[in-house]
């Protein structure tokens, strides 16, 4: 240990070491699905925003939180916002059953919505500053949450997922893998994908979350075709053209391309990047307005 570190630890020890990822055992979850809820409240809360960080398959809230490639813990410390870390009870999130693909259907999406409601009240979150991010299965769930709980979510930044409803299971199985979608063969019209979103909460007519969609061009797990399909889906929901209004090469870094579709949909196509695209804290925070 360096001397300066030691001095810092001695001087500010209790404050510096206080913040930890904590489990909330009772988050008023009335859904049938019972994923775990974990929360990180930084030592110095400087923001009334909430970021929900959703893990990939074969992970958990704790391992995602500790993963050095997942920067939301650092973002929380730096900018002082609270983060919620849902933890699934199956290997991957349930993005395949009717229960999870329906507003208040009782599935994983419903349980995560309950976590958001609990966090809004408990940590004095501004309900207009609720942000969702996730990678892979967590990105699929981010799309599903945007579709099923548009009333709760302000903006989404998702890495390497598939359109909401693309992993649907014809037999209604929960947390099923879908080879047609993962293999890039679930190709449909923008209208169809938009209808899938609207069908998850048919009575809803309010504003929708702003969507930032990242995908790698050589993704071997969730076919790169899913980039286009997801763009089709959300441009249709927002009623805008799926031809970008502007395209910025080498943004936010070399070999990435930022495609803008107006103020509510942004795509980032990462040339030569596989599964998943690493989280880009600055660009995601910028999309959220943090
Ligand atoms: C996989 O998803 C597609 C939609 O993307 C759906 O049409 C198909 O029935 C699903 N396959 C299975 C085996 O459930
Ligand atoms: C939207 O839904 C609300 C509640 O269901 C309803 O009161 C309102 O009239 C609807 N607005 C439009 C424009 O359809
Ligand atoms: C996405 O769709 C556009 C327009 O349909 C097409 O030109 C482009 O090749 C597609 N890109 C991928 C990666 O599928």
């Amino acid at each position: 240990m360096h001397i300066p570190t030691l001095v810092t630890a001695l001087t500010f020890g209790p404050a510096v070491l206080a913040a930890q990822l904590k489990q909330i055992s009772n988050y008023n979850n009335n859904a049938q699905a019972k994923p775990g809820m974990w929360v990180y409240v930084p030592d110095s809360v400087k923001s009334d925003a909430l970021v929900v960080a959703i893990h990939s398959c074969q992970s958990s809230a704790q391992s995602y939180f500790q993963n050095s490639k997942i920067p939301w813990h650092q973002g929380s410390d730096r900018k002082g916002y609270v983060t919620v870390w849902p933890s699934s009870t199956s290997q991957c999130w349930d993005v395949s059953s009717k229960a999870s693909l329906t507003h208040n259907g009782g599935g994983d999406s419903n349980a995560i919505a309950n976590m958001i409601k609990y966090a809004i009240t408990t940590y004095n979150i501004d309900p207009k500053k609720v942000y969702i991010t996730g990678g892979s299965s967590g990105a699929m769930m981010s799309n599903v949450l945007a579709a099923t709980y548009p009333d709760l979510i302000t903006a989404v930044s998702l890495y390497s997922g598939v359109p909401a409803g693309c992993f649907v299971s014809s037999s209604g199985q929960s947390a099923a893998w879908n080879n047609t979608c993962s293999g890039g063969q679930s190709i449909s019209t923008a209208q169809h994908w938009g209808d899938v979103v609207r069908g998850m909460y048919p009575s809803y007519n309010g504003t929708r979350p702003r969507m930032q969609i990242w995908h790698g061009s050589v993704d071997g797990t969730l076919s790169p075709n899913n980039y286009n399909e997801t763009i089709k889906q959300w441009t249709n929901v927002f009623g805008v053209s799926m031809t970008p209004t502007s395209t910025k090469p080498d943004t936010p870094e070399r070999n990435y391309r930022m495609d803008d579709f107006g103020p509510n949909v942004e795509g980032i196509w990462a040339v030569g990047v596989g599964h998943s695209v690493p989280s880009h804290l600055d660009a995601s925070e910028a999309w959220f307005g943090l």
Side-chain angles (χ1 to χ4, degrees), residues 241 243-248 258-263 265-267 287:
S241 167
T243 304
T245 50
S246 77
T247 283
K248 300 184 198 90
M258 191 177 271
D259 297 332
D260 285 314
F261 305 86
V265 184
E266 183 172 275
W287 182 249

Side-chain angles (χ1 to χ4, degrees), residues 224-225 228 269:
N225 289 349
N228 253 12
W269 178 244

Side-chain angles (χ1 to χ4, degrees), residues 57 81 101 112 164 182 190 192 214 224-225 288:
C57 289
Y81 51 78
L101 299 178
I112 297 174
S182 65
H192 167 80
W214 302 69
N225 289 349
F288 293 160

Side-chain angles (χ1 to χ4, degrees), residues 29-52:
N29 180 25
N30 60 2
Q32 269 190 314
K34 303 289 181 203
M37 174 180 185
W38 295 71
V39 178
Y40 181 74
V41 179
D43 284 319
S44 173
V45 176
K46 290 178 279 194
S47 161
D48 55 1
L50 176 72
V51 174
V52 182

Side-chain angles (χ1 to χ4, degrees), residues 37-210:
M37 174 180 185
W38 295 71
V39 178
Y40 181 74
V41 179
D43 284 319
S44 173
V45 176
K46 290 178 279 194
S47 161
D48 55 1
L50 176 72
V51 174
V52 182
I54 309 179
H55 67 71
S56 46
C57 289
Q58 283 141 347
S59 185
S60 66
Q62 286 157 295
S63 55
Y64 208 53
F65 181 80
Q66 279 155 15
N67 185 336
S68 58
K69 290 186 192 143
I70 304 303
W72 293 98
H73 168 191
Q74 287 86 331
S76 180
D77 281 332
R78 200 170 64 190
K79 297 213 165 148
Y81 51 78
V82 172
T83 44
V84 162
W85 304 74
S87 204
S88 71
T89 50
S90 44
Q91 292 215 322
C92 302
W93 289 101
D94 177 13
V95 288
S96 63
S97 75
K98 184 88 179 156
S100 208
L101 299 178
T102 307
H103 178 76
N104 289 346
D108 276 344
S109 60
N110 196 164
I112 297 174
N114 290 335
M115 295 179 201
I116 295 170
K117 288 176 189 165
Y118 176 91
I120 288 173
T121 342
T122 311
Y123 308 107
N124 298 314
I125 303 299
D126 179 344
K128 296 207 156 49
K129 296 182 190 164
V130 175
Y131 307 113
I132 310 288
T133 188
S136 193
S137 182
M140 299 187 201
M141 178 50 87
S142 300
N143 264 325
V144 167
L145 281 167
T148 50
Y149 292 91
D151 51 330
L152 285 181
I153 298 164
T154 315
V156 171
S157 177
L158 61 89
Y159 292 86
S160 310
V162 303
C166 194
F167 252 50
V168 66
S169 162
S170 51
S171 63
Q173 198 191 329
S174 100
W177 190 260
N178 184 305
N179 281 319
T180 312
C181 180
S182 65
Q185 279 122 34
S186 293
I187 306 292
S188 199
T189 59
Q191 181 69 41
H192 167 80
W193 285 128
D195 288 345
V196 168
V197 166
R198 287 179 288 269
M200 291 187 194
Y201 188 1
S203 65
Y204 186 72
N205 62 15
T207 56
R208 303 269 178 178
R210 299 166 57 246

